[in-house]
Amino acid sequence: MPSRPVVTRFAPSPTGFLHIGGARTALFNQLYARHTGGTFLLRIEDTDRQRSTEPAVAAIFEGLSWLGVTPDAEPVFQHSRADRHREAVMDLLAAGHAYRCYMTVEELEIERERARAEGRAIRSVWRDRTSNSPDAPHVIRFRGPLEGETVINDLVKGRIVYQNIELDDLVLLRTDGAPTYNLAVVVDDHDMGVTHVIRGDDHVNNAARQTLIYQAFGWEVPAMGHIPLIHGPDGAKLSKRHGAQAVGEFADMGYLPEAMRNYLARLGWGHGDDEIFSDAQAVEWFDVADVVRSPARLDWAKLAFINAHYIKLADNERLAALVSDVLIHRGEKPHADLSARLPDLIGLLKEGAKTTLDIADSLGFIAKTRPLALDAKTAGLLTDETRARLARLGQSLAKVEFTRESLEPAIRAFSESEGVGIGKFGQALRGVMSGGSPAPDLATTLASLGKDEALGRLNDALGLSS
RNA sequence: GCGCCCUUCGUCUAUCGGUUAGGACACCAGAUUUUCAUUCUGGGAAGAGGAGUUCGACUCUCCUAGGGCGUACCA
């Protein structure tokens, strides 16, 4: 294992959005680098020019920066290093660790079936043969050992042994001269000085093949750790029907990046009984060796719980900007005066919110304009007796400062002076204030409306002029 | 088919040969209460199955079952 300063890297392929599992892999890489005082790098694996897209690259950058998992250096684009990759393959060719293979797709198909029947991996007939017309279309394959075994001392899974006969002679250079992934990762990780390869479980099989390539080059093999995938709540592979896969979707659903980081870190990794922890604590505690071996399922309820926690902690100005975006996105752009009050309102309303979308929802009753249409339930509550009581309440509240702290005791005092429980008029008052829409507790509802608006709504409902 | 990996409450996890198997989310009940929510208190809930090793296994080994990943001129 390398004894140099730690260098980790996240190496996604830009063929789609940034998957939540990939985001966690990136997080783990960054945490480990920070924990060891090392460096965290980003490399875009775009050797397949057909499948790689610009929007996908943008989505990765955007997703990572939203999550707050950004590399310590400029990202490397793998395809820009194609010349270096080809050069490396030529070295392998010269050293006899690779060979030119002229198999046609048909022949390959036959060999594939034969190999399968014999229970071994693909080997080309060109392994020990040279062509009379060396310039004919061909790929360059790795010449893997036929015997022996390759051992991976996986940082999370432990010792994994592969029989070399099971490992195929993989293609290093395609017919068009383009390098393949398995060759490019090895060359790039080596050139970038990567000491610890922390990646998804779906790459374990490649670990052995890549180890062989490192050895052929005579390079030091980096430490590797394969982290389990994230599954949907039902245990199946995460897909659209589970609600979300892309980090961008989580952002749109009103989750905070720090909540995502906390939740993701806790998914598949743990530090004793700690559930909620800061980024600094995560860095202090994290170790790849402590990553859990088995795949984890996404649990929306727990994510919501953690998000609610971070919403309570979040700065109201910041939340206001987020909520405002939600409102605009919904086509409910808040008026200037509402905008100005947003931070204060959010301070009052964020208590039970699980997402910023919830906060936006809770703003609904405030945004209504007078006179409010009352729902049937509220209308039914407005008996003559209650109307009279609400009128008296209005008079006494007119003398009160409209803050939650002042309103709370004021309402209680009124209830006592009337000699009835709050239940006798509370429901009706809430209905009059909100028109029947969901609203928080009385004091908070009144405070968030403000004195003028609140008393105005009350007078509207009682048929009084304000 | 073959190879590799995984398997503790519903979920995320702790335990790293000796524990009443702990915590969190969720759930249920009770308390508080001006709706919902919040808050508080309490509760139910787990070592896939079978063989070993051992004085003693959730912890170690093997088998079975189930699940995942891979098996590309994708990454």
Side-chain angles (χ1 to χ4, degrees), chain A residues 2 24 65 104 116 130 161 224 230 252 268 280 316 373 399 442:
Chain A
R24 187 184 59 159
S65 88
T104 62
R116 183 176 174 135
T130 46
V161 181
M224 299 181 186
I230 296 177
D252 292 343
N316 294 334
K399 301 170 214 143
L442 255 25

Side-chain angles (χ1 to χ4, degrees), chain A residues 297-439:
Chain A
R297 303 182 185 197
L298 189 62
D299 183 355
W300 292 99
K302 188 158 186 178
L303 208 209
F305 170 81
I306 290 183
N307 202 53
H309 172 84
Y310 283 98
I311 280 181
K312 286 185 198 116
L313 260 44
D315 176 72
N316 294 334
E317 295 282 350
R318 173 185 168 214
L319 252 18
L322 256 19
V323 170
S324 187
D325 286 345
V326 172
L327 259 17
I328 290 170
H329 185 73
R330 287 179 179 176
E332 302 167 5
K333 191 176 189 320
H335 299 299
D337 53 335
L338 180 56
S339 264
R341 296 186 59 220
L342 219 41
D344 289 338
L345 289 175
I346 284 171
L348 292 170
L349 301 173
K350 68 180 181 180
E351 287 319 306
K354 294 191 183 306
T355 66
T356 53
L357 265 40
D358 285 351
I359 299 179
D361 289 344
S362 70
L363 247 24
F365 78 95
I366 297 173
K368 291 190 175 185
T369 50
R370 292 175 55 196
L372 273 58
L374 302 183
D375 64 326
K377 189 180 164 197
T378 301
L381 251 26
L382 290 177
T383 59
D384 288 344
E385 184 190 0
T386 301
R387 302 175 83 94
R389 180 133 46 217
L390 287 183
R392 291 195 290 279
L393 174 61
Q395 285 166 9
S396 72
L397 288 185
K399 301 170 214 143
V400 176
E401 188 192 358
F402 264 52
T403 63
R404 192 150 50 173
E405 294 68 28
S406 304
L407 285 162
E408 170 75 14
I411 293 169
R412 293 204 176 280
F414 176 75
S415 156
E416 279 171 33
S417 71
E418 290 282 311
V420 298
I422 293 175
K424 275 289 186 184
F425 61 90
Q427 274 284 44
L429 178 60
R430 181 199 317 286
V432 165
M433 290 302 129
S434 72
S437 300

Side-chain angles (χ1 to χ4, degrees), chain A residues 146-365:
Chain A
L146 266 17
E147 356 182 277
E149 51 187 40
T150 296
V151 178
I152 310 292
N153 286 308
D154 195 279
L155 261 20
V156 351
K157 291 172 177 297
R159 181 184 161 91
I160 303 174
V161 181
Y162 282 90
Q163 296 305 313
N164 289 335
I165 194 72
E166 307 283 354
L167 277 15
D168 56 2
D169 278 2
L170 38 81
V171 171
L172 267 20
L173 235 45
R174 295 181 246 244
T175 306
D176 64 0
T180 60
Y181 161 78
N182 277 298
L183 180 272
V185 243
V186 172
V187 175
D188 289 348
D189 281 338
H190 171 263
D191 289 359
M192 291 164 76
V194 173
T195 59
H196 295 255
V197 173
I198 299 169
R199 78 239 287 197
D201 217 352
D202 49 339
H203 284 288
V204 257
N205 299 279
N206 291 326
R209 294 182 174 83
Q210 290 164 15
T211 296
L212 255 17
I213 297 179
Y214 274 104
Q215 290 167 349
F217 276 121
W219 295 339
E220 183 175 32
V221 182
M224 299 181 186
H226 293 89
I227 64 182
L229 274 22
I230 296 177
H231 290 166
D234 58 357
K237 189 173 169 180
L238 199 58
S239 68
K240 255 202 176 96
R241 72 194 160 81
H242 292 127
Q245 300 168 270
V247 309
E249 294 178 85
F250 287 85
D252 292 343
M253 283 190 280
Y255 295 101
L256 263 24
E258 62 269 38
M260 283 309 284
R261 263 180 266 137
N262 192 150
Y263 177 72
L264 250 22
R266 192 69 184 76
L267 230 206
W269 171 79
H271 180 265
D273 288 339
D274 297 301
E275 297 289 344
I276 290 190
F277 41 77
S278 66
D279 291 325
Q281 287 172 311
V283 166
E284 185 189 336
W285 297 334
F286 187 83
D287 191 328
V288 230
D290 296 329
V291 171
V292 175
R293 291 173 165 74
S294 54
R297 303 182 185 197
L298 189 62
D299 183 355
W300 292 99
K302 188 158 186 178
L303 208 209
F305 170 81
I306 290 183
N307 202 53
H309 172 84
Y310 283 98
I311 280 181
K312 286 185 198 116
L313 260 44
D315 176 72
N316 294 334
E317 295 282 350
R318 173 185 168 214
L319 252 18
L322 256 19
V323 170
S324 187
D325 286 345
V326 172
L327 259 17
I328 290 170
H329 185 73
R330 287 179 179 176
E332 302 167 5
K333 191 176 189 320
H335 299 299
D337 53 335
L338 180 56
S339 264
R341 296 186 59 220
L342 219 41
D344 289 338
L345 289 175
I346 284 171
L348 292 170
L349 301 173
K350 68 180 181 180
E351 287 319 306
K354 294 191 183 306
T355 66
T356 53
L357 265 40
D358 285 351
I359 299 179
D361 289 344
S362 70
L363 247 24
F365 78 95

